[in-house]
Each structure stands twice: as C-alpha cells, then as structure tokens.
Amino acid sequence: MGQAYSTRTGTAHPKFREVGLPAAALIGLNVLLMAVVAMTPLAAINDLLFGVAPIVGLLVFGIVLTAGNYLAEKGLESGDMGRAYAGIALLQAAYGVFGGGIVATVSSQSARALLGVTLAITVAMTVGIAAYVYVRDKDYSHWNTWSLGAFVIGAVLVFVGTFVTPVLIGGFLFIFAGFTLRLGYEIWRVRDGYRGDQPLIHSLGIYVAFTGVFVHVLQIVRQFVLER
C-alpha cells in the first residue's frame, strides 16, 4: 500500500515511516511493561479495582487513559514535551497495569505465548483495517463518532452488568468495537488528514487505539489459554 497508494502529497510510505515507527516503539514498550508488571504486586490492582465492581475498574482506567491521551496530545500540539511525556507515562502505566493484570492470570510459561499470539492477532487486525481504509477511498471521519458511541454504550452496559453479570459481555464487546473503530479512524486520519509538521500526534492516536484493541484481544486469548 505504501508504494502503490498515491496521495496529494506523495506516497503513503513516508507517512507510515514517520508515524509507524514511533507508534511501534510505544506499543513495544507497553507490551514489555505488561510482561514486567505481571511479575510484580502491581498486577493485583486489576483484581482490586474490578473486584470492587466492574464499573469501578472501567471508570478508573478510563479516566487515566483519557487524561493521559489529553495531556500527551496537548503537549505535542503546543511543543510542551514535559506535558507530552507525562501523558504518555499515564497511558503506559494504565495499559501496563491492566495488561499485566491479565497476563498474571496465566502461568509464567504461557505468558510469552499469550503476549506473542495477541500481538500477532492485533497486528493482523490492524493490517486488515488499514487495507480496508486504503482500498475503499472514502471518508471515515464518522468512525470517530461511532467509536465514542460504542464507548458510551459499553460503559452503560458495564454499569448494568455490575448488577446483572451476563450483561458484562455486551459491555466488553462494545468497548472492543470502540477501540477498533478508533483505530480505523486514526488510520484514516493518516491517509486524509496527515499533519506533516506534527506526525507524532498521529503516532499517539495509533498507539492508544492499537493498545486498546490489544488488551481486549489479550483477554480473549487468555480465556482460550485458561480453558485448555
């Protein structure tokens, strides 16, 4: 796609080099952090928060991720790298603790395979979404609205599921869909709304959405591992 898809500013390849490498570095660091957290007492934070009530865990992680994303994006836009680093640190910590808590539920021998399989699936999903967005040369700005809607519905279902457990699966699926749609939207933004002067803003968007999809796939793969 990078070599074949032409845009008004050239090929897509420079965009994915400038955006993809920093995003991949952030993702790789976060996956490594998950593996480390899984071996520490920090992994118990997941059980503590979600043990109180599923909606409590969702709200805590949701607030930290939202705050981290806001700080990082505003910091990058204004050139305030201190703020940007603080935001990225919050994002890394939130995803690291959440993912690490999931990884800690399997044996240490299975942890690497769990992370590796999850990464492979998430990368395959991302390639598929990118191919869809690039082959179908359309406007996907509405995916951002759909993503927000999916998050809201998912949060409501998790709240209801706090009292009616079977409903939790619906909340999981809608939040998973929200991150997937957000990933598609961020890829579309690279295609049609590329900010060549600030490519790291695109990297941040890809990283946040990709890792959100990753931790949901991680939970699904973990379930298969536990059932074997």
Side-chain angles (χ1 to χ4, degrees):
M1 288 189 299
Q3 295 174 345
Y5 186 87
S6 296
T7 68
R8 289 183 294 274
T9 57
T11 67
H13 181 271
K15 296 180 181 180
F16 279 94
R17 182 181 63 245
E18 294 170 358
V19 173
L21 293 180
L26 289 172
I27 292 164
L29 178 61
N30 228 159
V31 173
L32 178 61
L33 185 59
M34 291 177 195
V36 172
V37 168
M39 298 182 290
T40 72
L42 290 174
I45 293 176
N46 258 14
D47 290 338
L48 178 62
L49 293 176
F50 287 96
V52 173
I55 189 63
V56 172
L58 176 65
L59 287 176
V60 170
F61 282 111
I63 290 171
V64 176
L65 288 172
T66 301
N69 188 77
Y70 177 82
L71 286 174
E73 187 169 346
K74 293 302 179 183
L76 289 173
E77 286 179 345
S78 64
D80 184 350
M81 296 311 295
R83 180 188 290 186
Y85 290 144
I88 291 171
L90 282 176
L91 291 167
Q92 289 278 333
Y95 278 135
V97 170
F98 185 71
I102 297 168
V103 175
T105 60
V106 303
S107 66
S108 57
Q109 293 83 0
S110 301
R112 289 184 181 179
L114 174 62
L115 288 169
V117 170
T118 300
L119 185 60
I121 292 173
T122 310
V123 168
M125 287 179 62
T126 303
V127 171
I129 293 169
Y132 182 85
V133 168
Y134 270 79
V135 170
R136 295 170 59 86
D137 191 10
K138 295 183 178 181
D139 185 336
Y140 291 99
S141 59
H142 58 283
W143 279 16
N144 191 41
T145 303
W146 289 2
S147 173
L148 179 60
F151 285 137
V152 171
I153 294 172
V156 171
L157 290 176
V158 170
F159 175 74
V160 174
T162 299
F163 308 99
V164 185
T165 304
V167 179
L168 286 174
I169 185 64
F172 172 87
L173 291 174
F174 269 97
I175 295 174
F176 188 10
F179 277 112
T180 304
L181 288 166
R182 174 70 185 277
L183 180 57
Y185 168 74
E186 294 294 345
I187 292 171
W188 170 80
R189 276 214 309 168
V190 173
R191 193 197 76 184
D192 279 17
Y194 184 63
R195 300 176 62 171
D197 57 330
Q198 293 181 313
L200 291 180
I201 290 178
H202 293 291
S203 299
L204 176 70
I206 296 291
Y207 154 64
V208 172
F210 180 99
T211 313
V213 173
F214 179 91
V215 294
H216 282 76
V217 174
L218 186 66
Q219 294 174 77
I220 296 171
V221 177
R222 184 270 309 268
Q223 196 59 35
F224 278 104
V225 171
L226 293 178
E227 289 177 356
R228 291 190 59 180

